Amino acid sequence: MTGAAAFTVLQQAASGPARLGQLNTPHGPVETPQFMPVGTRACVRTLAADELAEAGVRIILANTYHLLLRPGPELIQQAGGLHRFMGWAGPILTDSGGFQVFSLAPLRRVSDEGVLFRSHVDGSLQWLTPRRAMEAQWAFGSDVSMVLDECVGFPATRTQVEQAVRRTAQWARECVAVFRELVERHGQLRLVFAINQGGVFRDLRRRSLEELLELPVDGLAVGGLSVGEPKPLMYEVLEELQALLPPERPRYVMGLGSPDVLVEAVARGYDLFDSVLPTRMARHGAVWTWEGRRSLKDAASRDRHEPIEEGCDCYTCRRFTRAYVRHLLKSGEVLGMRLATVHNVRFMMRLMDRVRQAIRQGQLEALREEIALRFGSQAGKEADGT
């Protein structure tokens, strides 16, 4: 698939660049805007595949770096691919592993050939090259594969970012060539996305995008954001890129998970998002409700014998009380983390439902103001991330 075959714009917002769309994948269509829970090691932390489906999840993200090291692409391919391995019937997007190499590997050496790094699992030296990244994702059976990119944090010098832009473009060309070779060899249609880099240097972002637009990719992602830069600067970058992105391809901003940031990105014309934030928060006893962020470990929850959130239809809120979940969390019971995670994942799906409905009804600005009021003041309590 390429471009228009992979994505359809169903409705443009009455005002502004927000839109409704449909991403067409080998494992079914995905409504956009859409949030992807992160299944780092072929598992969204503490949840089974059927629990994700019950929560309304349509597509998940899995992590190439972690799966490459353990259990390895060969074993996953023997199992029939990632879908069968983890019991998930819906679409899967896999990242390239580049971000984790740069953020997790205790030893790494980056060159134009790829990244030599020391595994955090067993200390062995590993090569991650464009070819290996694409062949691993093909072995996983990914519906959407991401090209290998070089991600830099914030702050970074212009020289560092410029090097990353050059190398990302080179690796993208190599990745796409390997991907097309695999498609021709196996006769299967899958999707591949390229990743824009450039930090907060808008001219470098434009340069990166111009090079990527020359490639036959199905979608375009914005990487290297939500890595420490101020939100206004992030929004400026997204606005600048949106004006240059082709409307017929899906737009994916990597690493966004805060409700206010998600809605702001949707309002700027973006379609897909992912973050570990909802599940990470839950494991630490924090949940989202329509009133904002709530700690379940605080004293106020001790004798609250009602759901975490009145009106929520998640399994946790239908069956258990806020006091009970607090008791589990304070006792260190894994069930407490699971129940909080179920709520947060379902909250994200409800949020995206409301976003799509607001676009459909021409009410996105009203929802944007509501979310900013309830969640914008909570910036800094947790970091987004992949």
Side-chain angles (χ1 to χ4, degrees):
M1 296 185 184
T2 57
F7 185 71
T8 304
V9 177
L10 301 176
Q11 181 179 330
Q12 191 69 47
S15 60
R19 73 257 189 96
L20 298 175
Q22 180 173 291
L23 178 67
N24 303 302
T25 82
H27 280 85
V30 177
E31 291 180 294
T32 63
Q34 189 61 260
F35 177 79
M36 299 179 284
V38 176
T40 303
R41 299 172 180 85
C43 170
V44 175
R45 288 287 187 91
T46 77
L47 301 186
D50 57 343
E51 293 172 307
L52 295 172
E54 183 181 342
V57 174
R58 296 291 177 263
I59 178 172
I60 63 172
L61 179 147
N63 189 280
T64 296
Y65 168 86
H66 288 284
L67 295 176
L68 190 68
L69 297 180
R70 185 169 53 196
E74 295 81 10
L75 187 145
I76 292 175
Q77 191 168 38
Q78 289 170 10
L82 201 51
H83 296 82
R84 289 187 181 178
F85 189 57
M86 65 181 294
W88 171 251
I92 297 175
L93 179 148
T94 47
D95 59 22
S96 65
F99 178 83
Q100 285 70 33
V101 166
F102 300 120
S103 64
L104 296 178
L107 178 150
R108 61 181 178 267
R109 187 173 73 236
V110 186
S111 68
D112 288 353
E113 286 70 41
V115 188
L116 180 67
F117 66 96
R118 192 172 295 282
S119 165
H120 76 283
V121 174
D122 59 12
S124 62
L125 283 175
Q126 301 278 339
W127 265 105
L128 183 62
T129 64
R131 174 168 290 277
R132 192 177 187 203
M134 301 315 291
E135 289 181 342
Q137 292 178 83
W138 190 273
F140 298 154
S142 308
D143 294 272
V144 183
S145 297
M146 304 299 299
V147 303
L148 184 63
D149 65 319
E150 181 174 5
C151 180
V152 294
F154 179 89
T157 67
R158 182 181 177 87
T159 299
Q160 290 173 316
V161 177
E162 200 161 18
Q163 174 75 287
V165 166
R166 181 193 65 78
R167 193 169 277 145
T168 293
Q170 175 189 321
W171 287 352
R173 288 190 290 270
E174 294 175 23
C175 283
V176 170
V178 173
F179 183 83
R180 295 184 74 178
E181 172 189 317
L182 291 166
V183 169
E184 291 173 5
R185 184 190 310 165
H186 297 283
Q188 299 176 17
L189 290 179
R190 301 185 191 176
L191 310 183
V192 61
F193 284 18
I195 304 174
N196 172 268
Q197 288 290 346
V200 296
F201 299 96
R202 281 171 281 181
D203 62 319
L204 296 183
R205 286 282 178 182
R206 290 194 299 272
R207 182 193 304 177
S208 175
L209 182 59
E210 288 169 2
E211 293 182 295
L212 299 178
L213 287 176
E214 296 176 359
L215 300 175
V217 294
D218 300 288
L220 292 156
V222 181
L225 291 180
S226 193
V227 291
E229 76 283 355
K231 285 183 183 179
L233 207 49
M234 178 200 302
Y235 296 151
E236 287 177 15
V237 170
L238 292 178
E239 287 172 8
E240 175 111 5
L241 286 174
Q242 186 279 140
L244 303 172
L245 287 164
E248 70 276 7
R249 298 192 205 183
R251 304 159 179 172
Y252 165 28
V253 189
M254 307 179 79
L256 299 192
S258 300
D260 59 315
V261 176
L262 280 177
V263 175
E264 288 297 324
V266 168
R268 287 166 170 81
Y270 292 86
D271 309 300
L272 291 169
F273 314 94
D274 80 278
S275 175
V276 299
L277 185 55
T279 51
R280 178 184 290 162
M281 277 180 53
R283 295 195 303 278
H284 289 87
V287 293
W288 281 316
T289 73
W290 289 118
E291 299 304 316
R293 179 188 181 276
R294 173 177 293 165
S295 172
L296 295 180
K297 290 184 175 182
D298 62 11
S301 298
R302 184 178 181 275
D303 57 357
R304 299 298 291 271
H305 302 295
E306 67 267 358
I308 292 173
E309 181 180 18
E310 294 288 354
C312 176
D313 61 357
C314 79
Y315 172 77
T316 301
C317 288
R318 295 198 317 267
R319 296 290 301 273
F320 304 101
T321 66
R322 184 170 160 187
Y324 179 62
V325 179
R326 177 188 186 272
H327 158 70
L328 295 174
L329 290 165
K330 296 290 281 186
S331 302
E333 292 287 349
V334 173
L335 180 58
M337 300 180 198
R338 279 172 43 77
L339 294 178
T341 301
V342 165
H343 175 82
N344 273 357
V345 170
R346 179 59 187 150
F347 176 87
M348 296 303 293
M349 297 303 104
R350 293 165 63 213
L351 173 64
M352 300 316 294
D353 286 342
R354 283 193 65 183
V355 165
R356 291 191 296 271
Q357 183 180 25
I359 295 172
R360 198 173 292 116
Q361 298 176 347
Q363 298 176 348
L364 183 60
E365 282 306 308
L367 178 62
R368 186 179 180 182
E369 292 175 9
E370 176 187 342
I371 295 297
L373 179 66
R374 296 182 179 181
F375 297 92
S377 62
Q378 299 175 349
K381 289 187 180 290
E382 288 90 10
D384 285 13
T386 55

